[in-house]
Amino acid sequence: MNSSVENLIELLTQKHSSLTQLSSLPALAGGWKEALTLLAPATRALVRRAEPMSRHTSLRVGGAAEFFIAATTPDVLAEVAAVAQRSGLPHFVLGAGSNVCVSDAGIRGMVLQNLCRSAEIAELTCVDAGHNLMELFVRTMQAGLSGLEFAVGIPGTVGGALVSNAGAYRANICDFVQEVDVVEGGERRWVGPEWMEFSYRDSRLRRMGGPPATLIGARLKLRPAPKTEIRIKAKDFQIQRILKQPWEPSAGSWFKNVYDCALAESLPTLPPAMKQAGVVPAAYLSEACGCKGFRIGGAGVSPRHANFIVNCGGATADEIRRTAEHVKALVQTRFGILLEEEVLYVGDWDEAIV
């Protein structure tokens, strides 16, 4: 073992739980094999090799992660994230596995699955990023707290919702964020919502090129309301989703809606409310191009909702992506609009990894 690793192990032995000390780690030439020695023994025991990502994604596709750990406590999640960030090693944080399409070749480096699911329910709710979003809504509804009704039927975690600024029915999760708990540069701290740089179905954590950061938790400001009122509102949203959304495995809505007043005004069959708002649903454009029911291998565009790419059975990630690219090309040809993905393509799309 080289001297730099010995020094790092000595440092972690003195106080392995200190993220401030972890922030001083140098880059490791030995990659994750070497970095695993920097984790606490109990954390290191949780690491798995060559874990098939199809087991952990709602699309049921994806090759293996080179290294994989399922973190059930915020401290473990923060520890691994800090080592990854300060060592300059590739890593990807996964929640419930929705809103992502993992390549057939898999993912290099470490996949950190966030299974931290604690929450303190109050007007200022403090919740782990790994908590299921819809379950959080149910808990807040039972406490007579309104705000998360839009989450009914949205798969995934609070963290995933924050990364993509999830929302529906004129509400977005960014509207309720007071603070987020993050690990950035190997240090854990609470920051304000401006740090996230929220925009429509986007945040700084979706964008490539910035310094890596990992969401640990959040504080959400909700408002008291009669439980019956909350339940009725949520039930209406739930019925709309049941009627429209497919039952087959999917990642959720594939493309973002288009905000273009001129385009909206030019579409004679677009509902007046959408024309007035200048918003054109991606599903509208896809359906107008005849994409419903289109298939490539085991992948297809849902016959029920034209903005859902589904696994009809035995699909590969490549087939899923080629189906989405087909929709994208048809919409651009007909409407001159380049659709932007809401789903994230993750992993190596060029070659096998494990």
Side-chain angles (χ1 to χ4, degrees), residues 251-327:
S253 296
W254 202 273
F255 297 106
K256 298 179 183 180
N257 292 336
V258 177
Y259 283 82
D260 187 319
C261 292
L263 176 64
E265 191 60 37
S266 72
L267 301 171
T269 59
L270 190 70
M274 291 183 177
K275 285 191 177 187
Q276 185 175 1
V279 59
V280 182
Y284 178 97
L285 299 173
S286 174
E287 184 170 357
C289 292
C291 293
K292 273 189 172 180
F294 174 79
R295 291 278 298 268
I296 295 179
V301 179
S302 170
R304 298 187 71 185
H305 195 302
N307 196 27
F308 275 69
I309 311 297
V310 297
N311 186 339
C312 303
T316 65
D318 179 70
E319 290 169 346
I320 295 283
R321 185 165 186 172
R322 284 194 287 127
T323 301
E325 292 296 335
H326 174 80
V327 174

Side-chain angles (χ1 to χ4, degrees), residues 32-73:
W32 270 108
K33 288 183 180 179
E34 186 175 331
L36 292 181
T37 64
L38 307 179
L39 299 174
T43 302
R44 190 162 61 246
L46 300 173
V47 176
R48 303 202 288 267
R49 288 290 310 269
E51 178 71 11
M53 295 308 296
S54 57
R55 298 176 182 173
H56 303 282
T57 62
S58 59
L59 265 172
R60 303 291 184 262
V61 299
E66 188 178 8
F67 296 92
F68 179 92
I69 186 169
T72 56
T73 69

Side-chain angles (χ1 to χ4, degrees), residues 19-190:
L19 296 186
T20 301
Q21 287 178 302
L22 283 175
S23 68
S24 64
L25 298 181
L28 297 178
W32 270 108
K33 288 183 180 179
E34 186 175 331
L36 292 181
T37 64
L38 307 179
L39 299 174
T43 302
R44 190 162 61 246
L46 300 173
V47 176
R48 303 202 288 267
R49 288 290 310 269
E51 178 71 11
M53 295 308 296
S54 57
R55 298 176 182 173
H56 303 282
T57 62
S58 59
L59 265 172
R60 303 291 184 262
V61 299
E66 188 178 8
F67 296 92
F68 179 92
I69 186 169
T72 56
T73 69
D75 286 345
V76 167
L77 181 66
E79 177 191 0
V80 180
V83 168
Q85 291 170 14
R86 299 310 304 170
S87 303
L89 295 174
H91 60 288
F92 177 74
V93 181
L94 181 74
S98 60
N99 214 42
V100 296
C101 181
V102 177
S103 75
D104 296 315
I107 303 176
R108 294 187 188 278
M110 178 71 75
V111 171
L112 295 76
Q113 186 171 34
N114 186 347
L115 298 181
C116 308
R117 295 170 176 165
S118 294
E120 298 175 9
I121 307 300
E123 286 188 42
L124 186 62
T125 288
C126 187
V127 59
D128 288 343
H131 198 294
N132 180 275
L133 181 63
M134 190 159 61
E135 289 179 9
L136 180 64
F137 158 68
V138 172
R139 294 180 65 181
T140 57
M141 177 187 68
Q142 291 171 341
L145 296 168
S146 177
L148 299 181
E149 291 87 340
F150 72 89
V152 171
I154 294 181
T157 63
V158 171
L162 290 166
V163 169
S164 293
N165 190 19
Y169 311 110
R170 296 171 296 282
N172 301 290
I173 196 166
C174 68
D175 302 333
F176 309 99
V177 176
Q178 296 294 298
E179 290 183 292
V180 290
D181 182 8
V182 301
V183 177
E184 182 183 23
E187 297 184 8
R188 184 175 175 182
R189 60 197 176 101
W190 285 92

